[in-house]
Amino acid sequence: MNPKQIFYETQAKTVIKNLERRRMKGYYCPGKEEAVKTALSLTAPDSTVSFGGSMTLSETGILDALRKRPDIRLIDRSQAKTPEEIKKAYRDSFYADTYFMSSNAVTLDGHLVNTDGNGNRAAALIYGPDQVIVVVGMNKIVTDTDDALRRIHNIASPPNCVRLNKNTPCAATGVCAECLGDDCICSQTVITRRSGTIGRIKVILVGEELGY
C-alpha cells in the first residue's frame, strides 16, 4: 500500500470506532470493487431497495450492480417520466427495506452531515427505510461539523449545481453566496449524531476519492 492508502485505512478505523459509538455500523473498503461486494452483501434477496441522488453510488458501480440484481425490487427514480412518477418514487422510498445514499461529509468523531435541496434524501436517512447504507469516499472525511459545512458549501454544492444545470451563484463563481434563489440546492441541513435504531445506519467508507 502507498502512504495515502495506509492513511485512509488508519483514519477509517478512527471514524468507524466513533460511528459505532453512535450506534451506526461502519465498514472500510480499500476500493470500489470491495465496496460493491459489501453493499450487495448487506442487501437481502426479496427486498425493496431505493436510493438518493449520488455520484458516489454511480462511480463505485453500486447502482449498476443493484440494477442487475433480479432478486430485489428497485425503486429507480431515473425511470420516472413525469413529475408525478418522480414524486411517487420519492414517497415509495420511505417504505423501502434498504435505502442507499452517500453523505456530503463525515466527521472524524462520527457525525454525518448532509444538505439537500428537496430533502427527500435527508428525510429517508432520518426515518422510513428499515436500513440506510451510506457509501462515502475518504475524501469526504472532515474534522468537525463546521468543517463539514464549509466542505458542503464550497466543494460539494458548486459542482453539483453545474451537474444539475442550476442557475446559482456558486455554479458561476465556484463560491457559495448563501443564495435563496429558485435553483438553490441547499435547503435543509441534517446532522446525524446518533442512530435512533442500533445498526439501522451502515456507513461504507471507501479508500478512494469519490463524488463531490
Side-chain angles (χ1 to χ4, degrees):
M1 291 192 295
N2 63 43
K4 179 175 279 190
Q5 290 172 324
I6 295 171
F7 165 67
Y8 278 160
E9 185 171 343
T10 302
Q11 189 179 62
K13 290 177 182 177
T14 298
V15 176
I16 288 170
K17 180 180 178 181
N18 287 320
L19 287 169
E20 294 185 348
R21 186 168 60 89
R22 298 177 182 279
R23 297 158 52 112
M24 293 179 269
K25 179 68 176 173
Y27 305 81
Y28 178 70
C29 298
K32 298 172 186 175
E33 290 185 6
E34 295 88 350
V36 172
K37 290 177 183 177
T38 301
L40 293 181
S41 73
L42 295 171
T43 309
D46 301 317
S47 62
T48 299
V49 179
S50 188
F51 58 90
S54 167
M55 288 299 297
T56 297
L57 295 179
S58 296
E59 291 173 2
T60 54
I62 289 173
L63 275 188
D64 287 339
L66 290 173
R67 286 171 174 146
K68 292 175 182 176
R69 274 190 62 167
D71 61 339
I72 62 172
R73 175 179 175 260
L74 184 64
I75 302 171
D76 190 345
R77 70 183 191 189
S78 70
Q79 303 301 310
K81 297 179 175 60
T82 66
E84 291 74 20
E85 289 178 350
I86 294 173
K87 183 184 290 186
K88 185 176 187 303
Y90 283 160
R91 291 180 173 174
D92 286 350
S93 294
F94 289 106
Y95 298 96
D97 299 299
T98 296
Y99 186 85
F100 279 89
M101 58 178 285
S102 187
S103 183
N104 295 129
V106 179
T107 69
L108 286 170
D109 65 351
H111 290 81
L112 311 183
V113 186
N114 287 282
T115 296
D116 271 9
N118 293 322
N120 59 291
R121 182 180 62 115
L125 171 63
I126 294 169
Y127 185 80
D130 292 332
Q131 173 179 245
V132 179
I133 299 176
V134 185
V135 185
V136 186
M138 290 299 292
N139 54 305
K140 294 184 178 182
I141 303 301
V142 296
T143 305
D144 51 30
T145 53
D146 287 340
D147 193 18
L149 293 175
R150 282 191 290 270
R151 183 187 190 284
I152 290 168
H153 293 156
N154 296 299
I155 297 176
S157 292
N160 269 313
C161 283
V162 172
R163 176 176 67 90
L164 297 169
N165 295 314
K166 297 294 186 180
N167 183 22
T168 60
C170 70
T173 68
V175 178
C176 177
E178 294 288 343
C179 73
L180 297 172
D182 291 342
D183 277 359
C184 177
I185 64 170
C186 299
S187 301
Q188 297 91 10
T189 296
V190 171
I191 298 174
T192 304
R193 62 174 297 274
R194 174 182 179 273
S195 178
T197 301
I198 294 176
R200 174 179 175 265
I201 300 172
K202 297 175 174 66
V203 181
I204 300 174
L205 300 172
V206 187
E208 296 187 22
E209 295 190 4
L210 297 167
Y212 299 142

